[in-house]
Amino acid sequence: MAFIQVKDVHFSYDLEPGARKEVLHGINLEIGEGEFVALLGHNGCGKSTMAKLFNGMLVPGSGQVLVDGLDAGKEENQLEVRRRVGLVLQNPDNQLVAGIVEEDVAFGPENLGVPPEEIRKRVDAALKAVDMYHYREHAPHKLSGGQKQRVAIAGIIAMETRCIVLDEPTAMLDPRGRQEVMETILRLNREKGITIVLITHYMDEAVQAGRVVVMDEGKVLMDGAPQEVFRQVERLKRHDLDVPQATELCYRLQAAGVGLPEIPLSVEKCVGMFKEVL
Amino acid sequence: MSETILETKNLTYQYGIGTPFEKTAVEDVSISIEKGEFLGVIGHTGSGKSTLIQMLNGLIRPTSGQVLLDGQDIWAEPKKIRAVRFRVGMVFQYPEYQLFEETVLKDIVFGPKNMGLSDEEALARAKEAAAFTGLKEELWEKSPFELSGGEKRRAAIAGVIAMDPDVLILDEPTAGLDPRGRDVLLAQITQYHKKRQNTVMLVSHSMEDIGRTADRLLVMNQSRCAMLAPTKEVFSQSAKLEQMGLRVPQITKIVQELGALGCPVDPSTLTVDDALKQLLPYLKQKLPRKEAGSDAV
């Protein structure tokens, strides 16, 4: 059984009394344990709503979201669902609560009632996993954006959730900070088998996922391996999305009559390919 | 020679002087910004770029050194610093959080009214600014909080444009927008710059965005100005940029590697369109597509 199952989910927001706007129109999606899924789509397509449905912060209007078999829309399951799915948001300044890094990371497990010795162990391990152990006694507000996001991720790791949903975690970061966060996410997925759902506007991040889901107007538009999805350059552009520059270049070269063995998704793959054929 | 509009002389800013947290955020920066140029500003977090731009419009007073606007020290008469802020307009990161009025138009008109313009003149400017940013007329009388993220961003930028600044500084104006929203906003800023012919400074972490808009680049590193040169010149030095935690646009990296493989291509190419134009004739001949009729295109 898939770790997260989204079954025919509709969701509406209340605009004002009497007026509602449906943003998800019957979503069906399954995410298996250990997968790394990138969720793409333009602003307002319903991605962030999906993220909040995954850990029970929002409840579907109709349909079901099952997390590890538990109905995430039922209040009695709320705690168990949040033990399994952690959420990291865009702005690092909005999610750090304590005055010292390690206390911040301890906040989650404390609230879950984890015994103190165990918390100590988890906090140390979580900070090491995101490579922030040296900063454990620092003040979070003095860290860089990338470091803050890694502390926020450590806070989720310390809760030992099996799935982490990240809603544009790199939008406010510089290139180095983005790379730090991406490396952390990839490592957690590969080495610890944590299921990752990454919502992003950066196509070069999405191509690093194992699977790409593209949403449009509250529906799933495309779902497949990055290779399959990003090959459809024209279709993505029609839906206001983008492809990495390496992909666009090779796609357009091929369309204009250059024989290329593949359409690469990254600068490295692109350069590697040209090294072989030239 | 082009005219200088903003100039800094040995500009320095230290935080927490006399405390254990003393830190130099900007150190000895002497640069000239030209009238009418589109200047990109890059540098990783903590490089001093935010502190620098806040000194350029007098939001922070330098601990030493000077900022000259049209040759005049902006702090010569501290009481007149507000006038500097009208001439050097600043759009902060996530400016939509600063919207506060009942309607979009009232929000945009706030700046010009504050400058002491008459109601009619302020309103005319606000409408012009709203049009510049592509904000549709049917949105003008709505509450800013009813707008989408991209529309709110435009309303906030319009509020600064309405003051008709000689220098417009935008700090990460596209952060958090989707690819299409980003492209549209950048195109509007470029158009505005062309039409108004004022000076625009764009601070961005996206080298791709900077690559296709800026004439010159200011690179900040460890509190100092590391480079100030035409965009192409800066991006031809990828090794140096990487040492500073920065990088060149993806397409520039690719053409540089292809150049090393013998392709005839300018190593400072900044856009996919430009790269395609240069590479196509060579690659078509070198790597013709095998299927029949391949050269029909």
Side-chain angles (χ1 to χ4, degrees):
Chain A
M1 188 184 62
F3 187 62
I4 296 179
Q5 286 176 287
V6 180
K7 291 182 174 171
D8 196 28
V9 163
H10 289 255
F11 186 86
S12 311
Y13 284 104
D14 288 325
L15 292 178
E16 50 197 64
R20 297 171 68 77
K21 188 181 181 209
E22 188 170 279
V23 290
L24 298 179
H25 317 296
I27 300 273
N28 286 292
L29 190 67
E30 292 199 345
I31 295 172
E33 183 136 33
E35 268 198 279
F36 178 178
V37 179
L39 196 55
L40 303 180
H42 61 77
N43 286 344
C45 75
K47 305 182 304 278
S48 296
T49 305
M50 288 278 283
K52 289 175 186 150
L53 288 167
F54 287 157
N55 85 337
M57 268 174 73
L58 293 176
V59 176
S62 68
Q64 260 189 331
V65 176
L66 298 179
V67 172
D68 199 14
L70 296 162
D71 186 340
K74 291 221 164 88
E75 208 177 325
E76 63 263 33
N77 290 335
Q78 214 170 60
L79 188 62
E80 283 308 310
V81 166
R82 288 181 197 167
R83 276 177 199 269
R84 286 167 174 76
V85 181
L87 195 56
V88 176
L89 304 170
Q90 186 181 106
N91 189 340
D93 293 321
N94 293 349
Q95 18 185 4
L96 301 180
V97 291
I100 297 172
V101 165
E102 60 181 10
E103 284 180 8
D104 195 276
V105 177
F107 183 78
E110 259 171 12
N111 275 316
L112 294 176
V114 176
E117 325 71 81
E118 171 71 13
I119 293 183
R120 178 77 255 171
K121 272 192 240 160
R122 285 195 191 184
V123 167
D124 288 345
L127 283 169
K128 283 176 186 163
V130 299
D131 202 16
M132 283 298 289
Y133 186 66
H134 292 300
Y135 290 89
R136 63 191 180 279
E137 288 173 357
H138 282 231
H141 70 274
K142 298 227 161 165
L143 303 176
S144 75
Q147 291 171 331
K148 284 180 194 168
Q149 281 302 50
R150 286 188 283 152
V151 172
I153 295 172
I156 303 291
I157 297 173
M159 288 163 63
E160 297 193 340
T161 65
R162 281 147 65 191
C163 173
I164 303 180
V165 178
L166 305 105
D167 191 357
E168 293 189 52
T170 62
M172 300 179 82
L173 307 183
D174 64 10
R176 184 182 288 174
R178 285 178 53 198
Q179 197 183 344
E180 287 168 4
V181 169
M182 279 309 292
E183 281 167 5
T184 303
I185 295 172
L186 282 163
R187 208 169 51 233
L188 290 173
N189 178 249
R190 282 183 194 147
E191 291 172 13
K192 297 193 186 286
I194 294 176
T195 309
I196 302 283
V197 179
L198 172 69
I199 296 177
T200 184
H201 286 317
Y202 292 111
M203 304 303 143
D204 50 330
E205 292 176 2
V207 300
Q208 298 177 50
R211 176 177 161 200
V212 175
V213 174
V214 180
M215 289 184 60
D216 190 53
E217 309 295 337
K219 290 196 164 145
V220 173
L221 182 73
M222 297 184 200
D223 183 351
Q227 284 290 352
E228 293 164 33
V229 170
F230 285 107
R231 194 181 294 141
Q232 305 178 50
V233 176
E234 299 297 336
R235 190 161 175 221
L236 286 166
K237 293 215 158 184
R238 254 201 322 279
H239 290 277
D240 292 346
L241 289 166
D242 213 353
V243 297
Q245 287 189 325
T247 310
E248 180 168 0
L249 176 75
C250 294
Y251 173 80
R252 287 170 65 184
L253 283 171
Q254 199 177 47
V258 176
L260 295 175
E262 56 167 333
I263 299 293
L265 301 182
S266 68
V267 172
E268 295 71 33
K269 290 249 168 68
C270 175
V271 171
M273 177 188 78
F274 277 110
K275 275 188 178 151
E276 275 185 24
V277 295
L278 281 177
Chain B
M1 254 324 264
S2 39
E3 266 176 276
T4 299
I5 182 146
L6 264 176
E7 192 178 355
T8 69
K9 284 190 174 162
N10 311 103
L11 195 63
T12 299
Y13 188 80
Q14 289 169 297
Y15 286 99
I17 296 175
T19 74
F21 303 107
E22 188 172 313
K23 187 181 177 271
T24 306
V26 171
E27 191 167 7
D28 197 21
V29 171
S30 300
I31 54 169
S32 294
I33 297 163
E34 290 162 13
K35 215 166 246 177
E37 76 172 320
F38 198 125
L39 184 71
V41 183
I42 58 175
H44 72 80
T45 312
S47 61
K49 57 186 193 312
S50 295
T51 309
L52 175 73
I53 58 172
Q54 289 180 68
M55 282 195 283
L56 293 182
N57 87 335
L59 281 172
I60 301 182
R61 191 168 180 169
T63 43
S64 68
Q66 287 180 308
V67 177
L68 306 176
L69 177 60
D70 275 337
Q72 302 287 315
D73 185 337
I74 62 168
W75 288 100
E77 288 178 81
K79 280 186 182 150
K80 291 192 177 161
I81 198 70
R82 270 186 75 194
V84 172
R85 295 183 191 140
F86 295 138
R87 291 196 55 204
V88 182
M90 173 91 82
V91 178
F92 288 98
Q93 269 186 42
Y94 293 82
E96 56 274 24
Y97 294 143
Q98 300 166 37
L99 297 170
F100 67 99
E101 270 286 10
E102 285 167 29
T103 71
V104 171
L105 209 53
K106 274 189 187 166
D107 207 292
I108 302 174
V109 95
F110 180 79
K113 263 196 175 165
N114 243 347
M115 296 171 70
L117 297 180
S118 71
D119 284 2
E120 299 81 63
E121 204 174 339
L123 194 64
R125 285 231 192 146
K127 286 181 176 170
E128 197 188 357
F132 253 136
T133 56
L135 215 54
K136 292 186 203 110
E137 209 170 326
E138 64 247 39
L139 300 175
W140 293 0
E141 293 305 324
K142 285 198 170 181
S143 158
F145 304 102
E146 288 174 51
L147 307 187
S148 75
E151 289 163 351
K152 275 188 207 165
R153 178 83 46 102
R154 276 177 217 181
I157 294 175
V160 178
I161 287 182
M163 295 194 287
D164 202 12
D166 295 317
V167 182
L168 176 67
I169 305 177
L170 300 137
D171 191 359
E172 293 270 0
T174 59
L177 297 184
D178 58 35
R180 164 124 181 105
R182 186 193 67 207
D183 286 351
V184 170
L185 186 60
L186 279 180
Q188 256 141 4
I189 293 169
T190 325
Q191 253 173 30
Y192 162 77
H193 172 247
K194 265 195 195 135
K195 211 161 172 180
R196 273 285 289 116
Q197 309 217 316
N198 58 354
T199 307
V200 173
M201 289 177 71
L202 176 72
V203 181
S204 179
H205 288 317
S206 165
M207 304 302 147
E208 286 74 22
D209 289 357
I210 288 271
R212 56 190 189 174
T213 51
D215 309 318
R216 284 207 304 164
L217 277 191
L218 168 62
V219 185
M220 289 294 291
N221 188 42
Q222 298 184 336
S223 317
R224 289 173 181 271
C225 165
M227 295 186 221
L228 176 60
T231 308
K232 287 192 156 202
E233 207 175 304
V234 171
F235 281 144
S236 63
Q237 306 178 55
S238 44
K240 204 167 160 188
L241 287 172
E242 273 162 33
Q243 276 169 13
M244 300 177 199
L246 299 168
R247 53 175 189 80
V248 300
Q250 289 184 16
I251 191 68
T252 311
K253 181 95 190 159
I254 294 170
V255 296
Q256 287 172 0
E257 298 277 355
L258 286 177
L261 291 171
C263 295
V265 60
D266 172 6
S268 59
T269 301
L270 299 174
T271 62
V272 174
D273 287 339
D274 199 10
L276 205 65
K277 245 183 260 162
Q278 300 177 59
L279 288 168
L280 202 51
Y282 175 79
L283 288 177
K284 242 174 135 170
Q285 188 211 346
K286 187 107 181 171
L287 302 168
R289 210 164 39 195
K290 303 239 160 52
E291 304 94 320
S294 60
D295 32 14
V297 190

